[in-house]
Every structure is written in C-alpha cells, then in structure tokens.
Amino acid sequence: MTEDYQKQQSRQLDREAKDRAIGAARSAKRREEQTKRSGLSTTTTGLKLREKAIDGVVAEIQRQIDIQEIPRRGAKASWYQYIADTYDDGQGNILPTVTLSEIAETALIVCLDAVGNQWTWNATLSYEGRAFEMTRFAA
C-alpha cells in the first residue's frame, strides 16, 4: 500500500510540475503578445516603473518650465505655450489645461512603448507629440 501511495504521490507531483511549466510558458507567451500589441506601458512591470518615475519626470518638467519663465531676451521654446496653457474654470480660478502629472504620465507611456517596440528617436518624438495632443484634447 505505501509503495502504491508513493508512486501515486510521485505521479501527482510530476503532473503538477508539468502543469506549472505549461502555465509559465503560456503566461510568458501572453506577456510577449501583449507587449507586441500594446507595448510595455500596459504590462505590470511598466506600471510599476511609471509609478516610480512619475515624480522625477514631473520635477524635470517643472524645472524646464522654470527655465523658460526666467526673464530674458528672445522667444520661449515652442513647446512652452502648450504646457503653460491655462483656462478659467468660471469661478475665478485659473487652472492649467493639462497637469504636469498628466504630461509626465503620457511621456512615460510613450517612452516605455518606444523601448518595447524599438522605435527610433524621431519616431518616439512623433508619437510623443501625438499622444500629448490627445492628452490636451481629452482635457
């Protein structure tokens, strides 16, 4: 009886190990297909990366805005007008059209997708511009 039980246990452990291996392979394949379809930004790893990086990106965008707001001769950078755009909410509050965190989130999503899809720098800039336009439109 114990010998039969040990054989049965062994077969059960073998089946479980085989099923785990099949599941891991299926999961890896789905992750790869998702990355091809939607990019790295839609993966759990991409989300975790964005969460860690968002504050740093917001700080850098604010630093670049501050540089543009220093009084000096010459025109501001072409992007400044879109980032610094504001509106009146009807209650006397002047609010930014798009928040810096929304801008940073859009930038990080496009950058992750650029890495996952191996876009060139110029293609990344083009996609980033389109994504920013859509972010502003949605706002």
Side-chain angles (χ1 to χ4, degrees), residues 53-63 100-105:
I54 192 89
D55 292 334
V57 175
V58 167
E60 180 59 25
I61 293 169
Q62 184 61 57
R63 190 178 79 77
L100 295 184
S101 60
E102 291 171 326
I103 296 168
E105 183 78 18

Side-chain angles (χ1 to χ4, degrees), residues 9-135:
Q9 283 294 100
S10 177
R11 285 193 307 266
Q12 180 65 29
L13 292 173
D14 289 342
R15 279 194 302 267
E16 288 176 6
K18 180 182 169 190
D19 290 344
R20 271 194 303 276
I22 290 170
R26 184 176 56 239
S27 177
K29 183 179 177 185
R30 284 184 180 167
R31 238 186 341 272
E32 184 179 317
E33 288 172 356
Q34 180 186 20
T35 301
K36 286 179 183 175
R37 264 193 325 273
S38 305
L40 287 176
S41 63
T42 61
T43 63
T44 304
T45 304
L47 176 63
K48 289 178 182 177
L49 232 164
R50 285 191 340 246
E51 287 174 349
K52 288 180 183 177
I54 192 89
D55 292 334
V57 175
V58 167
E60 180 59 25
I61 293 169
Q62 184 61 57
R63 190 178 79 77
Q64 292 298 321
I65 289 171
D66 293 343
I67 290 170
Q68 292 299 311
E69 291 175 346
I70 295 172
R72 61 180 181 186
R73 290 181 14 195
K76 295 186 182 333
S78 60
W79 54 263
Y80 178 79
Q81 64 182 342
Y82 302 106
I83 303 251
D85 191 24
T86 59
Y87 71 96
D88 186 342
D89 69 353
Q91 298 177 3
N93 300 319
I94 305 298
L95 302 171
T97 302
V98 183
T99 66
L100 295 184
S101 60
E102 291 171 326
I103 296 168
E105 183 78 18
T106 301
L108 286 167
I109 287 170
V110 172
C111 286
L112 284 167
D113 289 344
V115 169
N117 293 313
Q118 298 178 346
W119 295 338
T120 63
W121 177 249
N122 288 337
T124 303
L125 291 177
S126 175
Y127 283 113
E128 186 65 53
R130 290 182 204 157
F132 181 65
E133 284 177 3
M134 291 290 88
T135 301

